[in-house]
Amino acid sequence: REAFFGMAAAAMATVNAVVPVEPAAAKYSDYSRREKDWQERQAKGDVKYSSAKDLRKQLAEIVPQNSEGSKVFCPNGPSAA
């Protein structure tokens, strides 16, 4: 078991050494461009806000098996039901 973990660690170290990792980078201009895009979408009416009731109705249309009696599918777990 310890040998397996040792081999797995060696394999991961090899992959990390071979695959170049680029540092994450973000510019303020990217942020401001996204903000401007968001404001334009809101102004045009492309953004739709849904209530929890509306989202439950949509989920019932997509997955009709998910009735109140049997929670077959709930993407956010039982607390979202």
Side-chain angles (χ1 to χ4, degrees):
R1 182 173 168 168
E2 289 178 19
F4 172 74
F5 286 122
M7 288 188 303
M12 291 178 72
T14 303
V15 168
N16 285 339
V18 173
V19 177
V21 177
E22 296 180 21
K27 295 177 254 165
Y28 183 76
S29 60
D30 294 335
Y31 169 77
S32 61
R33 187 172 33 255
R34 283 191 300 271
E35 281 295 307
K36 182 179 176 189
D37 178 57
W38 177 252
Q39 290 168 353
E40 288 173 357
R41 289 176 187 227
Q42 283 181 319
K44 286 192 256 176
D46 291 345
V47 178
K48 179 185 176 205
Y49 296 97
S50 299
S51 67
K53 183 178 179 180
D54 295 334
L55 293 173
R56 278 192 293 271
K57 185 191 273 186
Q58 289 175 14
L59 183 61
E61 292 172 6
I62 295 170
V63 187
Q65 308 93 315
N66 192 19
S67 66
E68 283 298 317
S70 66
K71 296 293 180 195
V72 175
F73 174 78
C74 190
N76 294 324
S79 63

